Amino acid sequence: MDANKNNEEQQQQQPQQQQQEKNNDGNLRTDSESSTDSMTRFLLPSLDGSPPKVVTMDEVASMFKNLKNMELAHEIALNPEFKLQPYEPPMDSLEGRIKTMVHKAFWDLLRQQLERDPPSYDQAIRLLGEIKEDFPQLLSAKNASLLGRINAALDESLIRQQAERGVLDFRSYANFVINLLASMCCPARDEGVAKLRDIEDVVDTFRGILEMMSLMKLDMANFLLAVARSDIAANSVEYEKQKFSTYLREFHGNAGFPATEDWLNRHRAGCNNTDDIIYKAYMQLLDYPADKQFPELLAIDKERFEGLSWRGQRLILCASLISIAQGVPVISQRRDNRVKLAQQLDILVKHVKQEDQIGDAIDACNEQIRAFINESLASEQAPPMSDAQQAQLQSQIQQLANKTSPVRALMTNRLDGFVRVALRSNGNIPPPPSGFADYEEELVAFIASFRRLVSYNHAVFGEYFIQLLDKQRSSVETVTDAAGSSGGLASGLTQTAKP
């Protein structure tokens, strides 16, 4: 009796197993991944030290339309290079291994079905359907007519009828999709799309098509960012001010920022008004003391200020090196030689981002200066520098490893004065100080970045800074009723307040 019962159960299970095998053969995909990665994900770069975030296209569009992340608004407003990046799970991760296996199985099954006699098109039809689902992510809402044509051409019922009648031309559909991509892609993708036409194997062709569509989704995501950037930049200051005001209001004036107060109060000496105090405080951000806590309210931009600090130090180092080199007439009296050497020195110090790297950079620059001078002398049939001259030159250059060396201190003071004048000017950048003329382009970019960063933060927190200084207390009851403007400082930064 048990045997009969087992036979009945096996007979009931067989149709289920057959159906499962059919499903496995014809519907090879997972909820997380498919052949086309129709839920293509992008990597939102790290913000304020937080881990990078993985987002979908829908999340990208929603993020830019309904901006609710202050760090993201801040980053987009201040960083013109900010872009989404492609996301690929690490190959040694569980997600990466699963993705690799699923994709391999999908393409292997597609090839097997197409090689059958007669061919089976179940997987091919599914693939075309997923491609059709992806096109709305590559088109703007204004392209409804084109999207309609695509939907009509890739209609599943039509394709299935062609397959049943044995007239389905899978290659013609590949060419149709390639032509669409060629008409839609940005110029940077033209060459890649053109190469798809040269792939003879139809499975490899479709694999290439999907890889290209993934890249074009990234292009579209960054296009959405670019379109939203101007609106975000225009409104991000007000948005951050509102968030800060809400924060203060919720804490009923009990929110304290001791590092910010200490930073401001350290600059009271010798200043006649709050504008002068705040100017001095901003200047210190380019060389902030290691033993002092960074102002809490500017913490989101700490890495930016540190990066600008080292950008300034590299300028100082280059100006010091070229000034020492001009002690030799073949450099000081030959502008072309001086400019060429200045460019070479700039390359040699580009990697310097911390104090312990300066020594090696100076040694490399010393060797480059010595070799360049001797080569220049040789080109004019002049004798090379004597051993004594080379020793003197090396001694002067090596002194630059010390921040208090005469030449480096002089260039530091000149750059400091330049920044002070540029920060107070109404959008006009003064001419480069002596010693920095050969680095004018980098100098202008440096001061523009610093002014943009200072003016943005001052637009958000300037009123609060003034309240802290005027009232001489560690907190304020509210910032929402603050009246007036931040005086001369605000007007001095008007030209750069909007990123």
Side-chain angles (χ1 to χ4, degrees):
M1 188 162 183
D2 289 340
N4 291 336
K5 182 177 181 180
N6 290 338
N7 289 335
E8 290 177 0
E9 290 178 350
Q10 290 174 0
Q11 290 173 357
Q12 292 175 355
Q13 290 173 356
Q14 284 177 355
Q16 295 176 356
Q17 291 173 351
Q18 292 172 357
Q19 181 64 38
Q20 183 64 42
E21 290 173 358
K22 182 178 179 180
N23 288 343
N24 289 341
D25 186 52
N27 191 24
L28 189 59
R29 61 185 296 180
T30 69
D31 290 337
S32 61
E33 295 290 347
S34 72
S35 60
T36 64
D37 282 342
S38 55
M39 290 297 288
T40 298
R41 292 167 292 172
F42 310 104
L43 201 62
L44 185 67
S46 174
L47 300 172
D48 192 24
S50 60
K53 181 180 179 182
V54 180
V55 294
T56 66
M57 179 69 85
D58 288 342
E59 290 172 331
V60 168
S62 175
M63 192 182 300
F64 297 149
K65 288 180 181 177
N66 307 297
L67 196 62
K68 296 180 180 179
N69 184 308
M70 188 169 72
E71 288 81 8
L72 179 60
H74 193 90
E75 185 72 24
I76 292 174
L78 286 174
N79 183 3
E81 303 300 323
F82 181 81
K83 290 183 178 181
L84 294 167
Q85 301 167 359
Y87 170 72
E88 283 293 336
M91 291 301 297
D92 58 351
S93 68
L94 177 62
E95 182 184 4
R97 292 194 296 271
I98 291 175
K99 178 178 179 178
T100 299
M101 289 188 295
V102 170
H103 282 204
K104 183 178 185 302
F106 182 96
W107 294 110
D108 287 349
L109 180 58
L110 174 63
R111 187 179 298 280
Q112 291 169 11
Q113 289 187 352
L114 293 178
E115 290 176 351
R116 291 176 185 173
D117 189 15
S120 172
Y121 291 105
D122 288 344
Q123 197 77 337
I125 293 171
R126 181 166 296 104
L127 174 59
L128 291 173
E130 292 182 8
I131 289 176
K132 183 178 76 170
E133 292 174 4
D134 275 1
F135 269 110
Q137 299 181 42
L138 302 178
L139 295 168
S140 67
K142 298 179 180 179
N143 287 308
S145 60
L146 176 58
L147 189 58
R149 288 199 299 113
I150 293 172
N151 289 335
L154 297 179
D155 179 70
E156 182 177 345
S157 60
L158 173 64
I159 297 172
R160 193 169 294 279
Q161 289 175 13
Q162 293 174 347
E164 291 172 352
R165 294 199 302 267
V167 295
L168 175 61
D169 185 350
F170 200 38
R171 166 63 67 177
S172 69
Y173 278 102
N175 293 335
F176 171 74
V177 174
I178 292 172
N179 290 336
L180 284 173
L181 297 183
S183 67
M184 295 161 51
C185 70
C186 65
R189 305 295 181 199
D190 285 343
E191 182 178 354
V193 173
K195 288 181 178 179
L196 295 175
R197 304 182 192 278
D198 299 330
I199 302 176
E200 296 182 0
D201 182 85
V202 70
V203 174
D204 291 340
T205 300
F206 271 99
R207 189 193 295 267
I209 285 173
L210 300 183
E211 291 173 354
M212 178 57 62
M213 292 183 77
S214 181
L215 293 174
M216 290 174 63
K217 289 178 192 177
L218 178 64
D219 295 338
M220 176 57 75
N222 280 313
F223 171 75
L224 292 176
L225 189 155
V227 170
R229 186 185 299 277
S230 58
D231 287 338
I232 292 172
N235 297 296
S236 58
V237 167
E238 191 59 35
Y239 172 69
E240 291 193 46
K241 287 181 71 174
Q242 290 175 0
K243 295 282 284 187
F244 182 57
S245 177
T246 300
Y247 177 83
L248 292 177
R249 186 169 56 250
E250 289 177 351
F251 280 86
H252 306 289
N254 294 320
F257 305 98
T260 300
E261 294 175 46
D262 178 59
W263 165 63
L264 292 170
N265 287 323
R266 287 200 308 269
H267 298 86
R268 285 184 177 275
C271 295
N272 298 321
N273 54 58
T274 55
D275 280 358
D276 289 342
I277 296 171
I278 296 175
Y279 264 118
K280 285 181 65 178
Y282 282 140
M283 288 295 300
Q284 192 187 51
L285 296 174
L286 286 176
D287 191 15
Y288 202 79
D291 61 339
K292 298 292 184 181
Q293 183 182 345
F294 200 81
E296 302 96 338
L297 295 181
L298 304 181
I300 193 173
D301 286 319
K302 182 180 179 181
E303 290 187 7
R304 281 194 180 90
F305 281 115
E306 289 176 344
L308 283 170
S309 175
W310 277 107
R311 197 170 176 181
Q313 289 299 317
R314 291 192 293 270
L315 276 166
I316 290 169
L317 197 56
C318 283
S320 301
L321 287 163
I322 202 66
S323 295
I324 291 173
Q326 287 188 91
V328 181
V330 76
I331 301 298
S332 60
Q333 297 176 11
R334 307 287 190 277
R335 184 182 181 279
D336 290 346
N337 286 348
R338 191 189 74 241
V339 170
K340 186 176 181 180
L341 178 58
Q343 293 172 344
Q344 294 174 356
L345 297 176
D346 180 53
I347 293 171
L348 290 174
V349 304
K350 279 291 186 186
H351 71 283
V352 175
K353 295 181 180 178
Q354 52 192 35
E355 197 67 33
D356 60 6
Q357 295 175 332
I358 290 181
D360 290 340
I362 286 177
D363 289 342
C365 289
N366 171 62
E367 181 60 29
Q368 183 62 30
I369 291 172
R370 184 195 62 79
F372 185 88
I373 290 175
N374 283 332
E375 289 173 4
S376 299
L377 290 170
S379 68
E380 299 184 6
Q381 287 77 48
M385 290 188 294
S386 66
D387 291 343
Q389 289 174 320
Q390 295 188 47
Q392 182 182 16
L393 181 67
Q394 180 176 356
S395 175
Q396 292 176 322
I397 291 173
Q398 289 180 337
Q399 287 180 34
L400 298 178
N402 188 342
K403 290 183 72 172
T404 61
S405 68
V407 176
R408 188 171 169 185
L410 174 62
M411 294 303 162
T412 299
N413 289 336
R414 287 178 178 175
L415 182 62
D416 183 78
F418 172 82
V419 173
R420 288 180 185 276
V421 173
L423 198 59
R424 286 181 177 269
S425 65
N426 291 319
N428 298 316
I429 296 179
S434 179
F436 290 84
D438 296 315
Y439 301 100
E440 184 173 6
E441 184 176 347
E442 170 61 11
L443 186 66
V444 169
F446 162 75
I447 195 60
S449 296
F450 183 60
R451 288 200 333 182
R452 181 168 59 246
L453 194 54
V454 167
S455 64
Y456 187 95
N457 280 284
H458 189 73
V460 176
F461 301 115
E463 291 178 3
Y464 183 71
F465 291 163
I466 291 173
Q467 288 188 23
L468 284 177
L469 291 168
D470 286 349
K471 296 181 181 181
Q472 296 186 9
R473 64 184 189 181
S474 61
S475 63
V476 295
E477 183 175 350
T478 179
V479 76
T480 55
D481 295 328
S485 67
S486 45
L489 181 61
S491 62
L493 295 173
T494 299
Q495 299 299 322
T496 50
K498 293 183 179 180

